[in-house]
Amino acid sequence: MSVLIYIDHADGQIKKSALEAISYGAALAKKLNTTAEGLVLGNLSEDLAALGTYGLSTVHHATDEAFDKADAQALAKTVAEAASKTSAEVLIFAANANGVALAPRTAVRLKAGLVSAAVALPETENGFTVKKVVFSGKAFAHVKINTPVKVITLTGNSYPVEKTEGTAAVLTLDLHPEASKVTITGIQKVEGEVPLTEAEIVVSGGRGLKGPENWNLVTDLAHALHGAIACSRPVADDGWRPHHEHVGQTGIQIAPNLYIAIGISGAIQHLGGVNRSKTIVVINKDPEAPFFKAADYGIVGDAFEVIPRLTEAVKALKG
Amino acid sequence: MKILVAVSKAPDTTAKITFKDENTAFNEDGVQWIVNPYDEWYALVRAIELKEAAPDTIIHLVSVDESGADVILRKALALGGDEAIRVNCKPTDSFSVATQLAAVAKEGSYDLILTGKETIDFNDGAVPGMLAELLEIPCVPVATKLTVQDGKAIVVKEIEGGEQTEEVAFPVLVSCAKGMAKQRMAGIRNVIAARSKTIKVVEPIAVDQLTQAVSFELPPAKTGVKMIEAGQEAELARLLHEEAKVI
């Protein structure tokens, strides 16, 4: 019996979402009186024993470099094998690009019930029930898992990374992936910007900014805050900004600590994608903009005057 | 080329979400239903674009739902597609839906299966991966571009902080997100033509219920916005630092 956490990594680094998943898995293991164990596939030179500080007792490492290029079908097979070998009762994945690809396949292989996009620790007193996002952020559901083995994907920024003392035992797993059917032919990273799904601070612009030529207002403030940039749907649809920056019900759903919305009126579809943000700031020239009702702080004013002053104030504060 | 597009019925994006029976069930009163946007705008429209480029392509639509979903299938057929299949049961969780879809997919031996990246009601995004695993075929989830060439799919998908291009031979499943295709409207002639297209109803196969939603809740309402005068931006920065503690 154990809680097994899939530790997602890229470019030699463990992802922040994976550290959240580890902290979540460790807290769950404590609740279930069992151990939290990590699973690393592929080449990763980080000190895995140090992951004990996040509450892992053991890290299982299958070191074959072929895992780095393996597709989800091959990886899921390996994860399921590792889960059986370690008698895992619960598997945790970050709900990121790899988690979305892997968790459903792994669940099918293990005949396990899956809850995607969890936002809180399971309730284990009476069965096993997990709270998750539904209706694109407009509500939550409590979903009961009926199977002996359970799989959960954890929504980003919904569980804090918790660090204590400890050292994990690192064990090498003798597992190797089967041949991949999917070939990666190119990777295009957006350099210098914080990935939207991992960002703690997000600055977002809407039609109120009047055109793509004014986006420096958004990026300057985002850079001053070390945050990511986002936009509303009309902005992406009109081609002012790329689609991957669109947050909202039919775009990306995010839950940063701070969300600053500039010139976005706050239609219900937009709110669904951002209303789990811990603090929301709305800047809009229309005092009747519905977004103010969902905000923590608001300024009614012209973005072209307010934002440069706010950017300067942030810079002054950060010294 | 033979394409299967899985579509789902979903509440309109502007629908107010409420629950009934002591928060154990979604309150469907007054809810307008639409084709799940990811299924329609991206998966189905991209399939239609591929057929426009290669007219001998066959497109089948499939939905797992009760008869109330026929109107949604007609709406989807008005955009395009040769015929639709409805598996006659209530969709209860991702695994049950994937299992029913897998039975239909096996029957039709499709080259390409397209789905939306998730439904806007349950937001699991799990059906594509589960369906692919049940069919033992590769899956590229959350794709933003798809082209087809010599029996293989060339797909661009989102990864953290960028995009990745992948190539994979048929049969393959691709779950579709924004960017894949341009949203379009069905013309009145197509709406009329869709009335005579076939919706084949098949009965479900037995499947275990692995998970079930037992209750729902709405997010807590914000307690009230603190308004700051324009010109007092330094005060806002101070509040975010000292009161909200987020910067």
Side-chain angles (χ1 to χ4, degrees):
Chain A
M1 295 266 273
S2 69
V3 174
L4 187 67
I5 299 111
Y6 178 78
I7 301 176
D8 194 17
H9 59 93
D11 309 323
Q13 278 199 321
I14 294 174
K15 292 182 188 169
K16 176 178 164 250
S17 53
L19 295 179
E20 292 171 355
I22 294 171
S23 297
Y24 178 90
L28 174 61
K30 205 177 246 182
K31 229 176 155 177
L32 296 171
N33 279 320
T34 181
T35 53
E37 303 181 15
L39 174 64
V40 176
L41 301 183
N43 191 17
L44 181 63
S45 55
E46 264 191 54
D47 176 14
L48 299 180
L51 290 174
T53 54
Y54 300 101
L56 294 182
S57 66
T58 312
V59 178
H60 303 276
H61 189 187
T63 54
D64 190 340
E65 285 186 6
F67 282 118
D68 298 335
K69 298 236 185 274
D71 67 12
Q73 196 173 5
L75 289 174
K77 198 172 174 203
T78 305
V79 175
E81 279 169 10
S84 305
K85 274 195 175 184
T86 58
S87 317
E89 188 187 9
V90 188
L91 277 85
I92 313 287
F93 296 84
N96 60 11
N98 285 336
V100 164
L102 264 182
R105 300 196 83 119
T106 309
V108 166
R109 293 199 78 91
L110 294 170
K111 298 187 169 50
L114 165 74
V115 173
S116 304
V119 292
L121 280 174
E123 297 148 47
T124 55
E125 288 72 26
N126 181 19
F128 192 102
T129 308
V130 192
K131 183 176 175 180
K132 78 174 292 277
V133 177
V134 287
F135 296 103
S136 304
K138 292 180 197 165
F140 299 101
H142 296 265
V143 180
K144 190 169 178 219
I145 305 183
N146 300 322
T147 49
V149 179
K150 299 155 180 81
V151 179
I152 297 170
T153 72
L154 176 67
T155 301
N157 278 342
S158 59
Y159 198 85
V161 175
E162 288 163 347
K163 222 171 166 177
T164 53
E165 303 272 295
T167 307
V170 181
L171 304 178
T172 303
L173 265 185
D174 186 24
L175 291 175
H176 305 275
E178 62 183 36
S180 287
K181 293 177 188 159
V182 178
T183 313
I184 299 167
T185 55
I187 294 178
Q188 306 85 35
K189 289 244 174 174
V190 185
E191 296 298 336
E193 298 293 346
V194 180
L196 195 48
T197 46
E198 298 213 340
E200 289 176 3
I201 296 177
V202 175
V203 182
S204 186
R207 271 263 178 72
L209 283 163
K210 296 195 166 68
E213 66 279 9
N214 299 320
W215 233 255
N216 60 317
L217 288 173
V218 176
T219 48
D220 287 353
L221 178 57
H223 291 160
L225 289 162
H226 303 293
I229 52 175
C231 68
S232 66
R233 185 179 154 208
V235 164
D237 282 355
D238 288 353
W240 295 4
R241 299 298 302 172
H243 288 304
H244 64 80
E245 289 180 8
H246 162 205
V247 294
Q249 190 171 6
T250 52
I252 298 171
Q253 283 117 49
I254 54 169
N257 290 336
L258 173 60
Y259 182 73
I260 301 180
I262 304 163
I264 301 175
S265 63
I268 190 165
Q269 299 96 317
H270 186 77
L271 294 181
V274 302
N275 65 6
R276 285 180 304 111
S277 307
K278 287 180 190 74
T279 298
I280 294 178
V281 175
V282 171
I283 295 156
N284 203 300
K285 70 174 180 349
D286 175 10
E288 302 299 321
F291 215 154
F292 283 117
K293 290 198 178 74
D296 298 281
Y297 301 99
I299 293 182
V300 177
D302 183 348
F304 294 90
E305 293 168 13
V306 170
I307 300 306
R309 288 197 297 252
L310 181 58
T311 304
E312 286 313 310
V314 167
K315 282 183 185 161
L317 186 80
K318 297 222 162 195
Chain B
M1 183 167 52
K2 214 173 158 192
I3 306 177
L4 181 67
V5 183
V7 298
S8 171
K9 179 180 99 180
D12 184 77
T13 53
T14 58
K16 189 169 163 56
I17 304 301
T18 58
F19 301 100
K20 61 178 184 180
D21 302 337
E22 297 179 341
N23 292 325
T24 58
F26 176 50
N27 182 6
E28 298 184 359
D29 288 352
V31 170
Q32 297 286 321
W33 297 95
I34 58 169
V35 184
N36 182 50
Y38 294 110
D39 306 345
E40 176 184 337
W41 302 347
Y42 310 128
L44 176 56
V45 175
R46 186 63 193 137
I48 295 165
E49 289 172 355
L50 291 172
K51 186 178 166 108
E52 285 164 354
D56 59 341
T57 300
I58 295 166
I59 301 174
H60 288 174
L61 310 184
V62 60
S63 192
V64 178
D65 210 329
E66 293 170 318
S67 58
D70 282 349
V71 53
I72 293 303
L73 281 170
R74 290 269 175 234
K75 198 171 166 252
L77 283 168
L79 282 167
D82 298 291
E83 63 171 65
I85 302 154
R86 181 170 60 78
V87 184
N88 188 27
C89 64
K90 210 176 158 69
T92 49
D93 72 351
S94 295
F95 181 73
S96 69
V97 171
T99 304
Q100 302 304 343
L101 292 176
V104 171
K106 273 179 195 156
E107 194 77 14
S109 39
Y110 298 93
D111 301 300
L112 185 60
I113 301 176
L114 300 179
T115 70
K117 76 159 183 171
E118 63 184 26
T119 57
I120 61 164
D121 51 5
F122 210 63
N123 302 109
D124 253 3
V127 167
M130 286 179 168
L131 175 56
E133 190 63 33
L134 290 166
L135 297 171
E136 298 179 67
I137 63 169
C139 169
V140 182
V142 197
T144 54
K145 287 192 188 87
L146 164 68
T147 49
V148 164
Q149 201 178 65
D150 309 328
K152 66 183 182 204
I154 299 151
V155 189
V156 177
K157 71 168 189 186
E158 291 175 17
I159 55 170
E160 283 84 22
E163 297 181 329
Q164 182 163 300
T165 309
E166 301 184 346
E167 274 187 31
V168 54
F170 292 159
V172 59
L173 191 154
V174 177
S175 89
C176 306
K178 193 162 188 157
M180 174 74 75
K182 198 127 188 93
Q183 193 179 345
R184 54 168 86 175
M185 305 286 279
I188 186 71
R189 273 174 50 195
N190 292 336
V191 172
I192 293 165
R195 288 186 196 147
S196 56
K197 288 185 184 173
T198 309
I199 298 181
K200 191 172 131 196
V201 179
V202 298
E203 289 308 311
I205 57 169
V207 58
D208 289 334
Q209 179 87 31
L210 306 189
T211 65
Q212 69 204 93
V214 288
S215 66
F216 297 91
E217 65 182 86
L218 295 170
K222 289 277 181 187
T223 47
V225 54
K226 193 177 268 188
M227 296 304 294
I228 293 128
E229 288 288 317
Q232 303 297 311
E233 289 77 16
E235 172 64 3
L236 174 60
R238 186 192 68 80
L239 286 167
L240 291 175
H241 180 61
E242 291 177 11
E243 188 177 75
K245 296 187 170 58
V246 288
I247 66 171

